[in-house]
Amino acid sequence: MCGIIGYTGEENVKDVLLDSLDLLEYRGYDSAGIAVEGHEGPHVIKCAGRVSDLRVICESEKFFTEQAEGCGIGHTRWATHGGVSDANAHPHCVGEVTLVHNGIIENFRELAAHYDLGEQLKSETDSEVVAALLNHYYDGNPHDAIKKTVSKLKGTFALVVLFADRPGVIYSTRNVSPVVATVCEEGAMLASDLTALCRFTNRYFVVPEYHILELHRDRVMLFDLEGNEKKPEFLSADWELNSAGKNGYPFYMEKEIMEQPKAIERTIECRVAGGMPDFTREGVPDSLFTDCERVTIVACGTAMHSGLVAQALVKSILHMHIDVEMASEFMYSDPVLDEKTLVIAISQSGETIDTLEAVKYARLRGAKCLSILNVKGSSIARESDYVLFTNAGPEIAVASTKAYTTQLAVLYLIVAKMAHCRDVFTTEETQSFIRELQRTPEAVEKVLAERRDIHLLANNVLDAKDLFMIGRGLDYSILQEGSLKLKEVSYIHSEAYASGELKHGPIALITQNTPVIASVTQEKLMSKEMSNIREVRARGADIVLFIKKSLAGSVNEDYRTFLLPDMQDAFMVMPASAALQLLAYYVSSDKGFDVDKPRNLAKVVTVE
Ligand code: F6R
């Protein structure tokens, strides 16, 4: 859950490292540091705090006025072992070795004791033990030291290393934690994810696990642990070179919310042929959908919430058995899995360790796994039988928005495909379903155009300590995501309830002026939902209503209301979600929070 970077080339190395750390900061932001090679070995600057704090320190360092081009490594941290302090920030230097690390070394205490490394350690981190162990084994041969060190490590790691007597060369190896690398006109570079590279190029390769990467200014070299040179398998990202910037928006979250119509359209249109869902380009056979007897969706957080929408659709359209499992609980719940189970894993990053482990576990038990991911070349992509990529482009804000709606777009395509393959939908019905799906970008666009009204509604909940979101059926699924979004960026305690459940306990929490957000988009559930809204209003709740426009006419009472553009009920999820994302965004930005980097969170969760 940290961001790592290495660069060797002719650009100003400090600037490349700091600019890259800015882009990687969403992976962790409690401390940051860089090491740049100088005449007397690596010069290390690190501090607790943000990359911006590090930048201020670097600007006043004489070293960097004398040292421009060259070679260096950097890190932005999400603390696991050891608190947030200057000493625990990376890079760590021990003897000849300067290192940054992403991952967790489970046996670091045993290693420190066994190799008697304690005296050399200045931090509480597992990472510094790895630096000390590398130094212990280093006798002038980097490959040998890396090989011996990794053979002792238990856990996950992406290591990036400078050896003092190997100027201009950066070494890296990894297990589970990702590293991507490239070489281009500006030099050679590695990073924990593509966002840092795509400023320079969209050609990159994923460093295979347990290999050694050497970055030289003009080339990259890849070796297996036996010393055999391997050819890197370059991939091409379809992200635009400047797509990781803010494009004038104050926060990435706003930019990414606004990008949704285009992102949803990109995700849908490349998979529609003759008005029908088509996965042939991705090699996903129809038999995957006809041969299964049950579907299990595994995912975490927002990605799991997109699975809940799919669950409701699959149940109502296909009448099939479908579970949605939190990936973190999946393996420990003795799930029913066999060759007749289709597992659908959903993940923006493709790196979430719980989802990755769930995929491995399910495949070992014979299930076929289809993943819906945003990041090509990610670990889950490599572990899956089939992958459908969302075409959302880089998502930098920690709170997921466009990844969620593009995941939904893929899930709707899958539902249509399954319904057609399993003779639930005729061709005409499938085409009509797809036509409505193709209207979703336009419906989301309409919500975005009315965002000032949502901003006004956000003012009503700014001071709330607790807030409730209520709805039935698909509205409840939408609100679970809406509630997560609000709580993570605004720090308001928010809970989503199925409206019918309120009377079984939660209604005890409703008192005078308790804010309640209600979503009403499902016609067949409307009268019951409105009764539930009246029940909480009668107990003093302050209601904000998000309602489908064509249903609003039959509401007799006066509520603060946002009208959602009309779509068929099954598709109202898209416009409603965009509205709730905006609500969360405005509450957070109006409260003056760092919207893109909510406290304690990190974008890519690679620890269990
Ligand atoms: C919330 C959020 C998280 C992620 C979750 C899974 O806004 O972003 O809940 O959805 O950590 O991440 P991925 O999708 O990368 O597996």
Side-chain angles (χ1 to χ4, degrees):
M1 300 179 55
C2 303
I4 55 178
I5 179 80
Y7 171 75
T8 174
E10 286 169 16
E11 299 282 303
N12 183 306
V13 61
K14 171 201 63 150
D15 291 346
V16 172
L17 295 177
L18 291 174
D19 293 348
S20 305
L21 288 181
D22 271 336
L23 291 170
L24 292 170
E25 199 175 26
Y26 68 123
R27 300 180 66 95
Y29 33 88
D30 59 46
S31 30
I34 59 173
V36 172
E37 274 178 356
H39 299 302
E40 287 150 32
H43 188 72
V44 176
I45 310 281
K46 57 182 183 170
C47 64
R50 296 285 173 94
V51 175
S52 52
D53 301 314
L54 179 71
R55 197 180 280 275
V56 170
I57 303 174
C58 290
E59 294 309 339
S60 59
E61 279 278 316
K62 190 159 167 279
F63 173 86
F64 293 116
T65 55
E66 289 157 7
Q67 184 76 25
E69 66 183 56
C71 173
I73 60 179
H75 189 267
T76 174
R77 178 171 187 247
W78 188 86
T80 53
H81 295 298
V84 178
S85 68
D86 290 356
N88 289 340
H90 298 216
H92 294 287
C93 290
V94 181
E96 301 290 291
V97 170
T98 304
L99 160 146
V100 295
H101 164 226
N102 175 24
I104 288 189
I105 305 302
E106 290 158 19
N107 59 337
F108 77 107
R109 285 200 181 83
E110 293 87 324
L111 290 172
H114 183 81
Y115 291 89
D116 201 14
L117 305 172
E119 292 272 290
Q120 303 167 50
L121 306 177
K122 297 181 213 82
S123 78
E124 303 153 303
T125 64
D126 51 342
S127 313
E128 196 184 20
V129 173
V130 183
L133 191 59
L134 269 168
N135 185 56
H136 167 87
Y137 282 126
Y138 189 58
D139 58 4
N141 183 338
H143 285 227
D144 198 41
I146 291 171
K147 184 175 168 183
K148 286 179 176 149
T149 300
V150 299
S151 73
K152 305 291 176 208
L153 302 181
K154 288 202 183 113
T156 59
F157 51 84
L159 306 174
V160 182
V161 189
L162 297 174
F163 291 95
D165 59 352
R166 298 283 164 146
V169 190
I170 298 170
Y171 295 84
S172 179
T173 187
R174 74 177 195 100
N175 174 40
V176 182
S177 307
V179 179
V180 291
T182 193
V183 59
C184 55
E185 250 177 54
E186 289 82 0
M189 202 170 181
L190 64 78
S192 29
D193 69 55
L194 256 182
T195 42
L197 306 189
C198 67
R199 269 183 320 139
F200 293 106
T201 174
N202 44 19
R203 280 187 76 243
Y204 71 102
F205 64 95
V206 178
V207 177
E209 289 175 339
Y210 289 105
H211 279 61
I212 297 174
L213 174 73
E214 283 184 16
L215 288 189
H216 300 257
R217 201 169 251 248
D218 55 350
R219 67 189 189 282
V220 288
M221 299 175 81
L222 187 66
F223 302 88
D224 65 18
L225 288 181
E226 305 317 314
N228 305 306
E229 190 166 351
K230 299 279 167 182
K231 206 167 170 310
E233 286 176 26
F234 274 89
L235 302 167
S236 168
D238 40 22
W239 295 357
E240 287 161 26
L241 294 191
N242 63 358
S243 56
K246 281 192 201 149
N247 277 0
Y249 286 98
F251 291 103
Y252 282 109
M253 185 175 175
E254 186 180 357
K255 173 192 171 229
E256 290 162 5
I257 289 172
M258 298 303 287
E259 284 173 345
Q260 290 182 108
K262 287 224 160 48
I264 297 167
E265 189 179 312
R266 275 200 305 270
T267 300
I268 297 170
E269 292 308 329
C270 60
R271 299 188 173 105
V272 176
M276 298 292 282
D278 181 7
F279 302 140
T280 40
R281 198 172 51 98
E282 281 111 337
V284 180
D286 287 359
S287 57
L288 192 68
F289 304 112
T290 47
D291 292 355
C292 61
E293 283 172 2
R294 74 182 75 80
V295 179
T296 299
I297 294 182
V298 288
C300 299
T302 292
M304 188 194 66
H305 291 156
S306 71
L308 293 176
V309 174
Q311 182 183 39
L313 295 175
V314 167
K315 275 193 194 164
S316 66
I317 296 172
L318 283 132
H319 308 293
M320 255 184 100
H321 187 105
I322 172 163
D323 296 312
V324 178
E325 304 270 358
M326 282 179 244
S328 55
E329 293 287 320
F330 182 62
M331 297 198 283
Y332 313 106
S333 64
D334 285 329
V336 179
L337 282 171
D338 56 26
E339 58 288 349
K340 292 282 175 201
T341 314
L342 169 61
V343 169
I344 301 183
I346 311 173
S347 172
Q348 187 283 130
S349 61
E351 298 296 344
T352 301
I353 190 96
D354 289 320
T355 312
L356 176 64
E357 292 303 324
V359 167
K360 290 185 189 161
Y361 179 91
R363 290 190 69 210
L364 274 178
R365 277 151 192 81
K368 283 270 176 295
C369 180
L370 167 66
S371 293
I372 301 173
L373 309 171
N374 194 37
V375 180
K376 290 191 177 151
S378 55
S379 303
I380 298 177
R382 289 194 301 280
E383 291 294 335
S384 304
D385 294 294
Y386 304 99
V387 184
L388 294 172
F389 288 104
T390 51
N391 296 333
E395 191 183 66
I396 311 283
V398 165
S400 190
T401 54
K402 60 178 179 169
Y404 172 73
T405 43
T406 52
Q407 285 158 0
L408 288 176
V410 176
L411 287 162
Y412 277 86
L413 288 163
I414 291 175
V415 170
K417 176 62 126 177
M418 272 185 112
H420 186 246
C421 293
R422 295 174 79 101
D423 294 329
V424 176
F425 275 176
T426 61
T427 300
E428 291 69 35
E429 284 166 336
T430 313
Q431 286 170 333
S432 147
F433 187 91
I434 294 293
R435 269 197 303 278
E436 190 64 0
L437 180 61
Q438 288 174 310
R439 286 188 56 227
T440 54
E442 175 198 319
V444 171
E445 190 79 66
K446 283 187 186 154
V447 172
L448 303 183
E450 304 293 324
R451 61 189 184 283
R452 287 167 63 111
D453 293 344
I454 299 177
H455 199 166
L456 291 176
L457 289 175
N459 287 333
N460 296 301
V461 299
L462 277 190
D463 298 324
K465 293 236 162 353
D466 299 291
L467 181 150
F468 300 97
M469 297 202 183
I470 61 171
R472 284 175 174 255
L474 270 178
D475 281 311
Y476 175 46
S477 313
I478 298 166
L479 291 170
Q480 289 181 73
E481 171 55 14
S483 177
L484 173 65
K485 212 85 305 166
L486 184 73
K487 80 177 100 174
E488 71 179 321
V489 297
S490 75
Y491 314 138
I492 295 173
H493 168 235
S494 163
E495 296 293 340
Y497 288 110
S499 311
E501 268 297 293
L502 284 170
K503 287 193 280 294
H504 302 286
I507 202 164
L509 295 167
I510 305 290
T511 55
Q512 201 57 36
N513 298 329
T514 306
V516 172
I517 291 171
S519 174
V520 184
T521 66
Q522 306 296 302
E523 190 170 1
K524 68 173 191 249
L525 299 171
M526 177 172 175
S527 67
K528 286 201 169 46
E529 176 59 32
M530 289 314 299
S531 303
N532 299 136
I533 292 172
R534 282 183 215 109
E535 284 156 14
V536 288
R537 172 131 118 169
R539 284 153 183 86
D542 191 3
I543 312 280
V544 176
L545 193 61
F546 286 81
I547 186 165
K548 175 168 157 169
K549 200 169 175 185
S550 58
L551 299 181
S554 46
V555 175
N556 299 321
E557 303 84 1
D558 196 15
Y559 297 107
R560 271 193 288 272
T561 300
F562 182 80
L563 296 179
L564 295 162
D566 284 320
M567 299 205 72
Q568 289 170 19
D569 286 3
F571 296 84
M572 285 305 296
V573 173
M574 290 282 204
S577 300
L580 292 168
Q581 292 166 352
L582 283 166
L583 183 85
Y585 170 73
Y586 286 124
V587 173
S588 177
S589 60
D590 285 358
K591 287 177 100 152
F593 295 144
D594 186 347
V595 182
D596 290 335
K597 298 186 187 99
R599 69 179 171 227
N600 301 339
L601 295 176
K603 183 76 180 161
V604 188
V605 181
T606 50
V607 294
E608 281 172 274

